[in-house]
Amino acid sequence: DAPAAPLDIGSRDVRFHLATKTIELVTGPAQFGLTFDGIGSRILCSNRNPATQVIFEQADLVGNPLAGLAPSVVDVVPAGDSSHVFPLVNAWVTSHLHAGQFTAACGVFAHGLDDDRTDIYTCEPTGSLVHRQRSKRMGTRLVPDADLQVPEGHEWLASHDAWFRPVNVTVAPDGAMVIVDMHRAVIEHPDWVPEELKQRPDERWGDQAGRIVSVSSATQLSDVWRELRDKPLGTRDDAELVQLIGSDNLWLRQTSERLLLQRAATEASASASGSRTLHANIDALQTLLADTSLTPDARCTALRLAVLLAANATRSPIDIARLLAADLSQTGQCELAIVALRLSRQFPQVISVHPDELLKLVSQSSDGGVRFEAWLCLGAQMGSDAWQATQADLDEVARAWVQD
C-alpha cells in the first residue's frame, strides 16, 4: 500500500516488500550497485565510492537523540581521492584530477570465501577493469586484509580492449565469476554529455554489442551444469531445496532460498498441505542451523530463511538461546549470533532475546560485532514497553558502554 504521506527520501534509499506491499526508507544512498555479505550487511556503491557498508539502518536510529553524530555508512574500499585503479587503456575522465581513481564505480558484489573472508568486487567501466579487495570482518565492519590483496599496480581483471565496460559482477552455479560487459565505445548517453560532444560519431557505437564474460580456472564443464540441465532447481521439491541451503555453493544456496520464499508466498495459505510443507521446511532449516559442520554463511542463510518463513506462519518463536551461548569462539558462532540479533529487531514476534541475555552479551562477549548488535537490541527494547529497565540495569549498561 502507498504510504499515508509522501516519503522524504533525502540522502536515503527506499525498499519495498513484495509480499506485504510496504514501502520504507533505508540508509543510503546508492547509485548502481547493491550487495550483501555473509551476515547480511548491505554494501552500496556510487561513482567515487566503490564499496560503502551500511552500519546503522534507519530503524536503528529512530528515536535516538544522538542520531547523526556518527556516520551511518562507512567506505570499506578506499574511495574518492584515496582510491587507486590501474587501467591498461587510456581512460578518459571528466577531470584530470581523477585519473587513476574510481570515477564510475558500479555493480559492487560481495563474495564470501571458505576462510571467513569476503572478496569485494567493483566494476570501473571507465578504466575497463574490475577491482577486487579481499576483506575480513572486524566487529560488524569489513576491513582490507593487507596480506591477501592483488599486487600493487595490478587489477583482478583489466583489459586492453577500450570497449570493455564491466557494469555488474555475480557468481555462476559452478563458482565462476560472471561479468556483464556493456561493451561500447562511449559510456555516457548523449543526453548526459556536453553539447559539443552530443554529435560525435562514436556516441552510439556498440549499442548491440553487450556480452557476458565468465572468469574461471576450470578447463571443462562443471558437473553442476550437467546436474542443473538434467534437473533444474525449479523442478525440485522443497525438501531438496532446503538441503541445498546447507551447500557451500553460493549460487545454489541463494537460488534455493529465493525459490522457497516464492513458493511460501503463493502456496502456504492455499491449503492445509501447503501449511504442513511450510512448517516442515522451518523444522528442517533449524536442523541445518544446528549443524556446526556447515559453513557460517550456510548456517546464517538457514537462520534468515527460517525466520522469514516463520513470520508468515503460526508457530512458537524460534529459540535462539543456544545461538547466543557464552562460547562464541567456535567457528561461525559469532556470525550466527550477529545475524540472530539483527533478525530479533526486525521480527521480534518470531525470534527474541531477553534483556538479561543482551546485558550479558554487551559485558562479556569478546566479539565486537556481537556486542554492537546487542547494544542496538538493548536500545530498541529500552525504547519500548518490552523492558522496564531498573536503575541497576541502567548502571550495568553504563559500565559495559564505558568498557567498550
Side-chain angles (χ1 to χ4, degrees), residues 4-17:
L7 292 175
D8 180 10
I9 297 176
S11 60
R12 294 166 292 189
D13 284 332
V14 295
R15 70 177 176 186
F16 53 93
H17 196 298

Side-chain angles (χ1 to χ4, degrees), residues 97-137:
L97 297 176
H98 294 168
Q101 302 172 7
F102 273 102
T103 63
C106 59
V108 64
F109 178 67
H111 186 206
L113 305 176
D114 292 341
D115 60 359
D116 296 335
R117 289 174 171 81
T118 299
D119 277 344
I120 302 176
Y121 296 87
T122 307
C123 299
E124 173 58 20
T126 303
S128 301
L129 61 88
V130 178
H131 183 84
R132 189 201 75 186
Q133 175 182 285
R134 185 151 294 175
S135 306
K136 58 186 177 182
R137 185 175 67 84

Side-chain angles (χ1 to χ4, degrees), residues 139-255:
T140 57
R141 177 180 171 179
L142 292 172
V143 297
D145 190 326
D147 298 328
L148 296 172
Q149 300 305 325
V150 174
E152 182 72 14
H154 296 76
E155 293 292 348
W156 176 77
L157 177 64
S159 175
H160 289 284
D161 179 3
W163 281 32
F164 178 57
R165 307 294 190 185
V167 292
N168 253 328
V169 182
T170 189
V171 66
D174 62 352
M177 302 307 298
V178 177
I179 300 163
V180 177
D181 174 16
M182 190 166 61
H183 204 70
R184 57 186 298 115
V186 179
I187 299 173
E188 291 84 359
H189 188 279
D191 286 352
W192 310 111
V193 298
E195 199 64 37
E196 65 271 18
L197 297 179
K198 290 183 182 296
Q199 302 304 319
R200 55 185 289 180
D202 62 353
E203 187 68 48
R204 303 311 295 257
W205 290 0
D207 273 6
Q208 307 300 323
R211 59 185 181 176
I212 296 176
V213 179
S214 177
V215 181
S216 173
S217 60
T219 58
Q220 56 186 359
L221 188 66
S222 167
D223 290 340
V224 174
W225 289 111
R226 297 187 180 91
E227 294 169 3
L228 291 172
R229 178 196 61 196
D230 296 339
K231 193 175 184 181
L233 290 193
T235 66
R236 305 188 189 191
D237 62 26
D238 282 19
E240 290 179 275
L241 295 180
V242 167
Q243 289 308 305
L244 287 175
I245 297 297
S247 170
D248 58 3
N249 183 308
L250 176 63
W251 187 91
L252 291 177
R253 207 164 56 236
Q254 290 184 336
T255 306

Side-chain angles (χ1 to χ4, degrees), residues 47-82:
N47 285 343
R48 300 277 284 155
N49 302 77
T52 303
Q53 182 180 346
V54 174
I55 302 299
F56 293 103
E57 287 289 3
Q58 293 298 296
D60 296 325
L61 301 175
V62 173
N64 190 328
L66 302 180
L69 293 183
S72 298
V73 299
V74 61
D75 288 313
V76 293
V77 173
D81 295 342
S82 299

Side-chain angles (χ1 to χ4, degrees), residues 385-397:
D385 295 332
W387 181 32
Q388 299 299 321
T390 65
Q391 186 59 50
D393 291 332
L394 296 177
D395 290 343
E396 177 66 22
V397 169

Side-chain angles (χ1 to χ4, degrees), residues 18 28 158 288 322 400:
L18 291 175
L288 288 179
R322 55 192 172 83

